[in-house]
Amino acid sequence: MQFTRTLPKELVHRSAVAEVFLTDAERHGEDEMLLAARFPRRHAFYDDTLARGDRLDPFLLLEACRQGIFVVAHRYLGVPPGHKFLLRSVGFEVPDPAALARGDRPTEAVITTRVERRFRTRAGVRGLRLRFTLTVGAREALLARIDYSWMPPEDWTSLRAGQRGALGLPAVPVALRGPRVDPALVGRCAPANTVISPPSTGKDGTHAAHVFAETTHPTLYDHWVDHVPGMLELEAFRQLALRAAVAAGTVHACGALPVALAARFRRFAEMDLPLECRTAPVLPGADIECTLRQPGALAAEARIRLADPDAAGPARALAAPTAHAAA
């Protein structure tokens, strides 16, 4: 596997080369591929943290896996360029938090990628369930699973027009704006990297905030899409869960790591409708349950586990909540 140059940005559906983390891909049998990834010493979004900065962000590793879904579909299944992709569910666990340690050079990783299931329609295979094992050196740093599907652009246009039309929304959205949370409250340094409003706390111990889509964000909106991207939704879950966990005293704000996640996407989250993120009450030792809702609809739901780095042990997998956001 080579780590000296990235894969073509078009292959992984990125616009900026700096946002491409995959450098190679090889097929090993019918259902297994190897991907190579190279992570920078510091990234303006994933490494914008109040923590010590000596560990890789699991969300950064998840993004490399997400880029892999396009490589598998286009390079090995022959899905044509221009097809549109949907995330159905995403999950990961960090089996060895010590494997996230970064050195004084960019980190190189190998991602073993296996097809666990093919989703078929009358038109043939239209989706996959992929299992990822990301290793740094000889250590497993992330285990992930992603369910996703794809469709021709004309089907996508019809699907999006149908949902937006049913909601009485115009063809081209304009993202809502509002006040952002103090970045220090969600473990961030830069205000531009916060995605939620100042949270409120209910008498029942729930926390709630609105999610805002900043379409000029160089990572979360690397290219234009007409809805809230799935990775932005996951970041909203992380930020509000972190604030709720700190308020409950179960983690410390600066260093808490997401060590397990299970999320399911139910429908497109529209950027021009109010989008509320809410957590259930945080209990010691329990996973944090989160939802994303728009008027009259559940957009996504997740369970997330946070742990202080020094206390983070091997994570057990989370089952996905009882599916979609654009990939």
Side-chain angles (χ1 to χ4, degrees):
M1 307 294 284
Q2 67 83 20
F3 300 92
T4 58
R5 62 186 181 277
T6 63
L7 292 178
K9 56 188 176 66
E10 297 81 8
L11 181 62
V12 298
H13 293 209
R14 296 276 86 184
S15 177
V17 173
E19 297 299 326
V20 179
F21 303 122
L22 298 184
T23 61
D24 206 353
E26 295 179 357
R27 191 165 190 172
H28 288 244
E30 180 66 21
D31 291 329
E32 186 170 296
M33 284 68 66
L34 290 183
L35 304 171
R38 189 171 188 264
F39 303 110
R41 292 179 62 185
R42 188 159 188 85
H43 188 276
F45 176 68
Y46 294 106
D47 293 315
D48 172 48
T49 175
L50 294 176
R52 296 191 307 259
D54 59 350
R55 297 203 182 189
L56 294 162
D57 179 4
F59 275 40
L60 172 62
L61 308 188
L62 178 65
E63 170 59 19
C65 297
R66 191 192 70 89
Q67 292 182 14
I69 72 177
F70 305 116
V71 178
V72 172
H74 290 310
R75 183 165 285 185
Y76 300 121
L77 272 72
V79 177
H83 270 49
K84 302 294 187 178
F85 288 73
L86 297 170
L87 288 178
R88 300 290 182 176
S89 65
V90 172
F92 73 76
E93 58 186 286
V94 178
D96 181 8
L100 299 174
R102 63 165 80 243
D104 57 1
R105 302 178 59 189
T107 301
E108 296 175 352
V110 174
I111 309 171
T112 302
T113 307
R114 175 168 289 278
V115 177
E116 289 194 335
R117 183 177 176 183
R118 289 172 168 82
F119 299 104
R120 302 179 185 273
T121 69
R122 293 180 180 178
V125 176
R126 283 289 190 249
L128 295 174
R129 172 174 296 154
L130 296 182
R131 173 77 173 181
F132 303 90
T133 302
L134 187 150
T135 58
V136 178
R139 307 176 79 168
E140 292 183 351
L142 191 84
L143 304 176
R145 179 179 283 112
I146 298 177
D147 286 12
Y148 67 110
S149 60
W150 55 82
M151 65 183 68
E154 58 271 19
D155 292 350
W156 173 276
T157 299
S158 176
L159 178 66
R160 291 297 291 128
Q163 177 169 313
R164 290 188 62 80
L167 295 169
L169 298 172
V172 179
V174 176
L176 298 179
R177 298 185 179 275
R180 301 296 183 94
V181 65
D182 180 343
L185 295 180
V186 291
R188 291 284 186 172
C189 298
N193 287 330
T194 60
V195 301
I196 62 173
S197 67
S200 62
T201 304
K203 294 181 179 179
D204 58 354
T206 60
H207 287 72
H210 284 97
V211 180
F212 297 110
E214 179 51 69
T215 58
T216 62
H217 194 283
T219 297
L220 297 173
Y221 273 89
D222 166 79
H223 56 279
W224 167 257
V225 290
D226 66 354
H227 54 274
V228 181
M231 290 299 285
L232 192 156
E233 295 181 40
L234 297 184
E235 181 62 26
F237 286 142
R238 190 228 303 246
Q239 291 187 13
L240 187 60
L242 178 59
R243 180 56 191 157
V246 171
T250 58
V251 300
H252 298 95
C254 293
L257 285 171
V259 294
L261 170 79
R264 189 176 298 277
F265 302 98
R266 298 295 185 178
R267 60 182 288 131
F268 292 102
E270 304 293 352
M271 68 174 76
D272 46 355
L273 284 179
L275 179 61
E276 184 191 66
C277 187
R278 181 176 292 272
T279 72
V282 178
L283 302 175
D287 305 321
I288 303 171
E289 297 183 4
C290 310
T291 58
L292 277 177
R293 293 183 180 274
Q294 290 193 307
L298 175 67
E301 54 192 331
R303 289 195 297 273
I304 186 169
R305 186 179 308 134
L306 300 169
D308 290 315
D310 295 337
R316 67 184 190 280
L318 298 180
T322 55
H324 51 247

